Coordinates of all heavy atoms in Angstrom, one line a residue:
Chain A
M141 N -2.2 10.8 -15.6 CA -2.2 12.2 -15.5 C -3.4 12.9 -15.9 O -3.9 13.8 -15.2 CB -1.0 12.8 -16.4 CG 0.4 12.4 -15.9 SD 1.7 13.1 -16.9 CE 1.3 14.8 -17.0
S144 N -5.7 12.9 -13.3 CA -5.0 13.6 -12.1 C -5.0 12.8 -10.8 O -5.4 13.2 -9.8 CB -5.7 14.9 -12.0 OG -7.0 14.9 -11.4
M145 N -4.5 11.6 -11.0 CA -4.2 10.8 -9.8 C -2.8 10.9 -9.4 O -1.9 11.1 -10.2 CB -4.5 9.3 -10.1 CG -6.0 9.0 -10.4 SD -6.4 7.2 -10.5 CE -6.0 6.8 -8.8
P146 N -2.6 10.7 -8.1 CA -1.2 10.7 -7.5 C -0.3 9.8 -8.5 O -0.6 8.7 -8.7 CB -1.3 10.2 -6.2 CG -2.7 10.7 -5.8 CD -3.5 10.5 -7.0
L147 N 0.8 10.3 -8.8 CA 1.7 9.6 -9.7 C 3.2 9.9 -9.5 O 3.6 11.1 -9.3 CB 1.4 10.0 -11.2 CG 2.3 9.5 -12.3 CD1 2.4 8.1 -12.4 CD2 2.0 10.2 -13.6
V148 N 4.0 8.9 -9.5 CA 5.5 9.1 -9.4 C 6.0 8.2 -10.5 O 5.8 7.0 -10.6 CB 6.0 8.7 -8.0 CG1 7.6 8.8 -8.0 CG2 5.5 9.7 -7.0
L149 N 7.0 8.8 -11.2 CA 7.7 8.1 -12.2 C 9.1 7.6 -11.7 O 9.7 8.4 -10.9 CB 8.0 9.0 -13.4 CG 7.0 9.0 -14.6 CD1 5.6 8.4 -14.2 CD2 7.0 10.3 -15.3
A157 N 5.9 18.6 -18.4 CA 4.9 18.7 -17.4 C 5.5 18.6 -15.9 O 6.7 18.2 -15.8 CB 3.8 17.6 -17.5
K158 N 4.7 19.0 -14.9 CA 5.2 18.9 -13.6 C 4.7 17.4 -13.0 O 3.6 17.4 -12.7 CB 4.5 19.9 -12.8 CG 5.2 21.3 -12.8 CD 4.5 22.3 -12.0 CE 5.3 22.9 -10.9 NZ 6.7 23.4 -11.3
V159 N 5.7 16.6 -13.0 CA 5.4 15.3 -12.6 C 6.5 14.8 -11.6 O 7.7 14.9 -11.9 CB 5.3 14.2 -13.7 CG1 5.0 12.9 -13.2 CG2 4.2 14.8 -14.8
D160 N 6.0 14.3 -10.5 CA 7.1 13.7 -9.5 C 7.8 12.6 -10.2 O 7.2 11.7 -10.9 CB 6.5 13.3 -8.2 CG 6.4 14.3 -7.2 OD1 7.0 15.3 -7.3 OD2 5.6 14.1 -6.3
A161 N 9.2 12.6 -10.0 CA 9.9 11.5 -10.7 C 11.2 11.3 -9.8 O 11.7 12.2 -9.2 CB 10.3 11.8 -12.1
A306 N 10.8 7.0 -4.4 CA 9.6 7.0 -5.1 C 8.4 6.9 -4.2 O 7.4 7.6 -4.3 CB 9.6 6.0 -6.3
D308 N 8.1 7.5 -1.1 CA 8.1 8.7 -0.3 C 7.3 9.8 -0.9 O 6.3 10.3 -0.4 CB 9.4 9.2 0.1 CG 10.1 8.6 1.2 OD1 9.4 8.0 2.1 OD2 11.3 8.7 1.2
L309 N 7.7 10.1 -2.2 CA 7.0 11.0 -2.9 C 5.5 10.7 -3.2 O 4.7 11.6 -3.0 CB 7.6 11.2 -4.3 CG 9.1 11.9 -4.3 CD1 9.7 11.9 -5.7 CD2 9.0 13.2 -3.7
L310 N 5.3 9.5 -3.4 CA 3.9 9.1 -3.6 C 3.1 9.2 -2.4 O 1.9 9.8 -2.4 CB 3.8 7.7 -4.1 CG 2.3 7.4 -4.6 CD1 2.0 8.2 -5.9 CD2 2.1 6.0 -4.8
I311 N 3.5 8.9 -1.3 CA 2.9 9.0 0.0 C 2.6 10.4 0.2 O 1.5 10.8 0.8 CB 3.6 8.3 1.1 CG1 3.6 6.8 0.9 CG2 3.1 8.7 2.5 CD1 4.5 6.0 1.8
E312 N 3.6 11.3 0.0 CA 3.3 12.7 0.3 C 2.2 13.3 -0.6 O 1.4 14.0 -0.1 CB 4.6 13.6 -0.1 CG 5.7 13.4 0.9 CD 7.0 14.1 0.6 OE1 6.9 15.0 -0.2 OE2 8.1 13.7 0.9
Q313 N 2.2 12.8 -1.8 CA 1.1 13.3 -2.7 C -0.2 12.8 -2.2 O -1.1 13.6 -2.1 CB 1.4 12.7 -4.1 CG 2.2 13.6 -5.0 CD 2.1 13.1 -6.5 OE1 1.1 13.1 -7.1 NE2 3.2 12.7 -7.0
V314 N -0.3 11.6 -1.9 CA -1.5 10.9 -1.4 C -2.0 11.6 -0.1 O -3.1 12.0 0.1 CB -1.4 9.5 -1.3 CG1 -2.7 8.9 -0.7 CG2 -1.2 8.8 -2.6
A315 N -1.2 11.6 0.8 CA -1.5 11.9 2.3 C -1.6 13.4 2.5 O -2.6 13.9 3.0 CB -0.5 11.3 3.3
E316 N -0.7 14.1 1.9 CA -0.6 15.5 2.2 C -1.2 16.3 1.1 O -1.1 17.5 1.0 CB 0.7 15.9 2.6 CG 1.2 15.2 3.7 CD 2.8 15.2 3.9 OE1 3.4 16.2 3.3 OE2 3.4 14.3 4.5
E317 N -1.6 15.6 0.0 CA -2.1 16.4 -1.2 C -1.2 17.5 -1.6 O -1.6 18.5 -2.0 CB -3.5 17.0 -0.8 CG -4.4 15.9 -0.1 CD -5.7 15.8 -0.6 OE1 -6.2 16.9 -1.2 OE2 -6.4 14.9 -0.5
R318 N 0.1 17.1 -1.6 CA 1.2 17.9 -2.1 C 1.1 17.9 -3.6 O 1.0 16.8 -4.2 CB 2.5 17.6 -1.6 CG 3.6 18.4 -2.1 CD 5.1 17.8 -1.7 NE 5.2 16.4 -2.0 CZ 5.5 16.0 -3.3 NH1 5.4 16.9 -4.3 NH2 5.8 14.8 -3.5
P319 N 1.0 19.0 -4.4 CA 1.1 18.9 -5.8 C 2.4 18.4 -6.3 O 3.5 18.7 -5.6 CB 0.9 20.3 -6.2 CG 1.3 21.1 -5.1 CD 1.1 20.3 -3.9
P320 N 2.5 17.7 -7.4 CA 3.8 17.1 -7.8 C 4.9 18.2 -8.1 O 4.4 19.4 -8.5 CB 3.5 16.4 -9.0 CG 2.1 16.9 -9.5 CD 1.4 17.4 -8.3
G321 N 6.1 17.9 -8.0 CA 7.1 18.9 -8.2 C 8.1 18.5 -9.2 O 7.9 18.0 -10.3
Q322 N 9.3 18.8 -8.9 CA 10.5 18.5 -9.9 C 11.0 17.1 -9.7 O 10.9 16.6 -8.6 CB 11.6 19.6 -9.5 CG 11.3 21.0 -9.8 CD 10.8 21.1 -11.1 OE1 11.4 20.7 -12.2 NE2 9.6 21.8 -11.3
P323 N 11.6 16.6 -10.7 CA 12.2 15.2 -10.6 C 13.4 15.3 -9.6 O 14.1 16.3 -9.5 CB 12.8 15.0 -12.0 CG 11.9 15.9 -12.9 CD 11.6 17.1 -12.1
V324 N 13.5 14.2 -8.8 CA 14.6 14.0 -7.9 C 15.7 13.2 -8.7 O 15.4 12.2 -9.1 CB 14.1 13.3 -6.6 CG1 15.4 12.9 -5.8 CG2 13.1 14.0 -5.9
Chain B
M1 N -8.2 17.0 -6.1 CA -7.1 16.2 -6.6 C -7.5 14.9 -7.2 O -7.8 14.7 -8.4 CB -6.2 15.9 -5.4 CG -4.8 15.3 -5.7 SD -3.7 16.4 -6.5 CE -3.4 15.6 -8.1
T2 N -7.8 14.0 -6.3 CA -8.3 12.6 -6.9 C -9.7 12.9 -7.3 O -10.5 13.3 -6.5 CB -8.2 11.6 -5.7 OG1 -6.9 11.6 -5.2 CG2 -8.5 10.2 -6.3

Side-chain angles (χ1 to χ4, degrees):
Chain A
M141 288 179 59
S144 70
M145 295 191 62
L147 167 66
V148 175
L149 264 22
K158 278 182 121 47
V159 180
D160 272 345
D308 278 338
L309 291 178
L310 190 70
I311 288 166
E312 285 176 26
Q313 272 190 58
V314 172
E316 301 161 23
E317 313 227 333
R318 177 181 60 68
Q322 295 306 310
V324 172
Chain B
M1 191 72 240
T2 310

